[in-house]
Each structure stands twice: as structure tokens, then as C-alpha cells.
Amino acid sequence: MTALLLLPLVLPFALPALARRALDRLAPAAALWAITACAVVLAGCSLAALGAFVLTGLLKLPLFAGLGELIHPLHTASDLVVLPAAATSVGVLAVCGWTLGRSVLHQTRAFRAARAEAGSGPAAGDLCVVDSPHPDAYALPGRPHRIVVTTAMLRSLDGAEREALFAHERAHNEGGHHYFLAAAELAAHCHPALRPVRETVRLAAERAADEAAAACVGDRRLTARAIARAALAGQAARSGRPAFAAAATTGPVPQRVQALLAAPRTAHRTGRRAAALLLACTAVSCVAAVTGTADFHHRVEIAQGEEKR
């Protein structure tokens, strides 16, 4: 059981490299779905493994063994392994809960401030213009979705580039990319190895919006120019927007511009291999977590006298 439950804690360390490989070989929208789903599942499996370690350690204590109605000793690995693992798991879960709670509070405040700022300026449909000397533009989710752009950003681009920028931000809202960014942020607080995956998910979201904007305006070179000029102008922009509010000025812009100037990526054998590696890593983690948890439950039932060994 112990060895099985260690797998969901180790496998997330492989995801950052696999995620970058998948993004390089898959279409951006497909990579966004695959990487985010794998990160969430791996995070859930790691939490399940930590929870199983905590419960195992607690049931080794007489008080909790009595509460669990154990009439036989719970057969597990040596107490020299189980009890330190349980104590470590408690500490890890406490840190995860603390950092996640702080992040939620911070992002909630940032979201409310952004919605209030968007509501203070003139609006035309889903476009909100904010009077600010800092060039910035981003997709703000909510009811209704908004595209927030500052007057300084509008002055930095010509008419065609503005349309490409608006198409990019509109693609974020229409694609629900804030859900992917929020899920990646949640996963990052569940396992430290998943923190680098946040940036990969963000890049995948930006690449997907780049492709959607290029298709909308019908000019990949114009879209690349708009993204590059917006990013250059927005270097001095404030970072007060919530982390799940996607913006065209984020991510490795030169890489995104290079991808726009190249031909659109189509599915091929290496892309399928990258997706298969992601799926295999996630599947192994799921099987290990489910099997380890089921084995733990079976051992508890034996200790309760409900089943024979």
C-alpha cells in the first residue's frame, strides 16, 4: 500500500517536462485541454495519497483506533515509516490549504477591483475602456464577460492591430480560458511540482487565443504584429489584474510571434505520442491512488473484523 501511494506523489514531477513537450507538438487548444486535465487529476491523486497516509497514521493511535471501531491491529508498514509519513502529510496538507486560502483571497480582491475599474469607464458592447497611462489589455470573466483596455494601449496600436488584439481577448472569454488558468492555479497549490505547469497552461491559453484571433482577422502576420506591439507597450503595465484574467501581453511573446508567423500546427505522430505520454502518466497515478486507497480500506475492514484476511 505504501509503495502504491508514493507513486501519485512522485509522478507529478514528470508533468512539467511532458507538458512542455505536448505544447510543442499539439495544437494549442488540444494542448490546453490535455495539460490542464492532467494537472488537475495528478493534483487530486496526490491529495488522495496524502489523505490515506494521514488516516493510516491516525488509526495507529489508540484514540482514533477506538473511534474507528478497530478490534484488531491495522496491518501496515512499520510504524517507523507510517507515523513520519503521516506527520509529514499533515504538514504538507496544512501548507497547501494555507497557500490556497491566501491565493483565493488575493485573487478575489483583485477580481473585484478589476470589475469595479471596468465598470467605471465607458463601454461599447463587451469592450471597456479605462483611462490610464499604463498600456494594458486583458479578458475579464464574469457576468457579462468584458474586454478591458486602457487608453494608453489604444494609442499604442493602429486600427487593424486593435481589432486583432480585441479578437485575441475575445477568444479568451469565448474559450473559457479563465477556467483553465484557475484550475492550473489550484493544482499548483496541491503539489509543488505542478507550479511550473501554471506557466505552460498560460502559454497554451495564449497560443490558443493567438490562433483564434488570426483566424478571425484572417491575417497571421497582422496578429503577430499586434501581439508584439501590445506586449512591448505593456511592459510597464500594472500587475493588479487577477491571475486567471488572460492577457495578450503575457507569456513568452517571441515564441508566440514565431508560432504565428509559421504555418498552423496540424496533428501528427509526435503529437499523438506526446498526448499518449501525458495520458499514461495520469493513468498510472490514478491506478496507483485508487488501488492504494482500496487496499487501505480493505485493511481497515479487516481490522474492524468485517472481513477475513
Side-chain angles (χ1 to χ4, degrees), residues 71-309:
I71 60 177
H72 303 297
L74 181 64
H75 289 279
T76 61
S78 170
D79 288 356
L80 296 177
V81 175
V82 171
L83 295 181
T88 302
S89 298
V90 170
V92 170
L93 288 173
V95 171
C96 290
W98 170 254
T99 59
L100 178 60
R102 288 184 60 185
S103 177
V104 169
L105 289 175
H106 174 73
Q107 297 302 325
T108 300
R109 294 193 189 103
F111 175 69
R112 289 176 177 173
R115 292 293 296 186
E117 183 181 49
S120 64
D126 61 348
L127 181 64
C128 296
V129 179
V130 176
D131 186 12
S132 172
H134 304 282
D136 198 10
Y138 57 93
L140 184 62
R143 295 185 179 178
H145 293 324
R146 296 293 189 191
I147 298 172
V148 180
V149 61
T150 63
T151 51
M153 179 62 80
L154 292 177
R155 289 192 295 267
S156 302
L157 306 177
D158 62 31
E161 291 167 348
R162 292 174 190 170
E163 291 303 318
L165 179 66
F166 298 158
H168 175 99
E169 304 302 353
R170 197 165 282 119
H172 279 311
N173 282 333
E174 292 175 353
H177 292 170
H178 51 284
Y179 292 118
F180 296 93
L181 297 177
E185 182 73 18
L186 174 63
H189 289 285
C190 296
H191 197 292
L194 298 177
R195 291 173 185 171
V197 180
R198 284 182 298 192
E199 296 307 315
T200 308
V201 170
R202 183 171 295 278
L203 176 56
E206 294 303 328
R207 286 282 296 108
D210 289 343
E211 293 294 332
C216 180
V217 300
D219 190 335
R220 299 180 67 84
R221 189 171 294 275
L222 168 62
T223 305
R225 188 173 72 247
I227 297 301
R229 291 191 64 183
L232 184 63
Q235 287 181 344
R238 295 172 299 170
S239 58
R241 74 174 81 95
F244 53 83
T249 56
T250 59
V253 175
Q255 180 180 343
R256 292 168 50 201
V257 170
Q258 184 179 7
L260 278 169
L261 295 178
R265 184 173 295 141
T266 57
H268 49 76
R269 183 174 299 178
T270 57
R272 290 193 290 269
R273 288 177 181 173
L277 286 173
L278 279 177
L279 180 61
C281 179
T282 307
V284 170
S285 181
C286 285
V287 170
V290 171
T291 305
T293 304
D295 181 63
F296 166 72
H297 182 262
H298 179 65
R299 291 171 186 264
V300 171
E301 288 183 333
I302 292 175
Q304 291 173 333
E306 297 180 5
E307 289 190 14
K308 296 182 180 180
R309 298 181 186 179

